[in-house]
Every structure is written in C-alpha cells, then in structure tokens.
Amino acid sequence: PAFVVPDDGQLLSYAEMADRVEALAGRLAAAGVRRGDRVALTLPNSPEFVQLLLAITLLGAAAAPLNPAYTEPEYTFYLEDVAPRLLLAPAGMPPAATAAAAATGTAVLGVADVAGGSPDLLRDGEPVSGRAGFARGTPDDVAIVLHTSGTTSRPKQVPLLQRNLMASTRNVATHFRLGPDDVSFCVMPLFHVHGLVASTFAALSAGGTVVSPRRLTPQRFWRQARECGTTWLSAGPTLHQMLLDKIDSEGAPG
C-alpha cells in the first residue's frame, strides 16, 4: 500500500493512487485548470489531499496549501496574494473560507469523499462531469506555492519547482535510508512543507507506506503506530514534546 488510513483501515495501493491522480487531473482540467495556474487547497490531512495536490502538479499547475484553521482575514490575505484559479475545500466549507472566497471573487470546488473511490469535485453542489485532456507538467513548472511565517514582516511567497520538491524529497529519503519496508506515520500537517516532504513524499519516493490518520491525538497515536508497523516519524518540536509527555504521564506504550 501507498497509504493506510488507521481510522477506518482503508488501504490505497500505488496503482490506485496513480489512477486516481490521473482521473482527478482530468476533472480539474475540465474545471478549467491549465498549466501555470494556481490552485489553493484547504483540506484536512488525508490521502485525498495528496491525490489532489499531485493531480494539480500533473497538470503543470501549482498547488497552494492553506491551513484549514485560518480566520477569514487570513484566508482573504492568502487568496488575494496567491490569486488562484480555484479553491478546493471540503463540501461543507468552513464559514471563514466561504466568506473569504466570496470577498475575493475566488471560484470554489467542493471536495466530497466517496467511500472506496476518488473524491468527488463539486461545483455549486453538482459533480464536475467529464475529463479534459492536458499537457503534463515538467520539472521546471512550479509545484507548490508556500509562504514564509510572517514573524518579521508580511508573509512572502515561496514557489518551489517540481525539481526543487523532488530534490528535497530524495535528500530526506537518502539521508535516512528509507526503503520499501518503511512505514511513515504522518503527524505533521500536509499544508506545511515538512509534512509533505519528510512525512509523505520521502516515504513514497522510496516505495514505502504512509499512515495518514484523519484525526490525530496522542491517545490514538501509539496504538495506531504500533498496529501499522511504523518505522519512520518526522515531527516538529511541539508535537514531539506532546508525545513524550504522553509517555511521562501514562508510561511507555507496549
């Protein structure tokens, strides 16, 4: 498997991933996405997030992942700054994102999970029908558009080319000697480059498996990590300390 969803036991093979990414790229093309466009995503961690991001890059467009917890002013800033052709958001879109999309004139496609299948893309509540042909992206196309943290000034755009993203991915996989037998537990948010590169793409590039919970809690983490045979964990200092505190308070997991 490429992905395991421990919440419901869903397994997604590499072949299924490839088919779904190709299909989603065709549907995004039918929705008007073209090479060089930008597409914003505000979705929770899931295999669907990765499928959509890869579909965007397959088109030669650039994905702009946004934190689902943003406030309306934050959404407004990033949508104005990125100027995406589309915003991909859960079908029951957060009110803050809805208001910001309306204020900035950003077209929205809803993303609805389909049990056992590729996510549906909805325009005004109706599925985007058909697929369109497209020219495939190249290593010199922008893959993702991120922003600096803005701690010292206004957040600034950081575009990463496809080849930049893959170079970082290969560096992590090579340095930590990741291989097909490795299982990465994704605890970092996928709207952050650390979650994308270290937790997800590095494992996938090595032929390994990514465990992607839809809801992460310290109480569930140890059991899920053990059951899934986790070998690789890349976490920021805050989450790392939270998991250590869990051990201190309740003892080491079995």
Side-chain angles (χ1 to χ4, degrees), residues 166-178 197-199 201-203 205 232 234:
M166 286 309 304
S168 296
T169 294
R170 293 190 183 106
N171 285 341
V172 174
T174 300
H175 180 79
F176 290 99
R177 301 179 182 178
L178 300 181
V197 172
S199 293
F201 290 159
S205 75
W232 167 240
S234 178

Side-chain angles (χ1 to χ4, degrees), residues 129-185:
S129 60
R131 301 183 191 177
F134 55 89
R136 292 176 179 262
T138 70
D140 287 315
D141 285 317
V142 176
I144 58 175
V145 177
L146 303 172
H147 280 80
T148 58
S149 62
T151 52
T152 57
S153 64
R154 174 187 171 99
K156 299 177 181 64
Q157 290 189 25
V158 182
L160 297 178
L161 303 181
Q162 292 193 19
R163 57 182 171 83
N164 297 145
L165 201 59
M166 286 309 304
S168 296
T169 294
R170 293 190 183 106
N171 285 341
V172 174
T174 300
H175 180 79
F176 290 99
R177 301 179 182 178
L178 300 181
D181 294 331
D182 281 302
V183 178
S184 171
F185 199 110

Side-chain angles (χ1 to χ4, degrees), residues 3-5 17 41-54 63-68 70 143-146 160 165 184-204 210-214 216 234 239:
F3 277 92
V4 174
V5 181
M17 273 288 291
L41 303 88
T42 182
L43 298 163
N45 275 24
S46 65
E48 292 77 24
F49 182 106
V50 179
Q51 291 168 45
L52 285 163
L53 188 142
L54 291 176
L66 302 178
N67 186 345
Y70 278 153
I144 58 175
V145 177
L146 303 172
L160 297 178
L165 201 59
S184 171
F185 199 110
C186 184
V187 298
M188 296 291 289
L190 290 174
F191 62 79
H192 193 283
V193 70
H194 193 125
L196 281 174
V197 172
S199 293
T200 304
F201 290 159
L204 295 177
V210 177
V211 179
S212 180
R214 298 186 186 279
L216 176 68
S234 178
L239 184 57

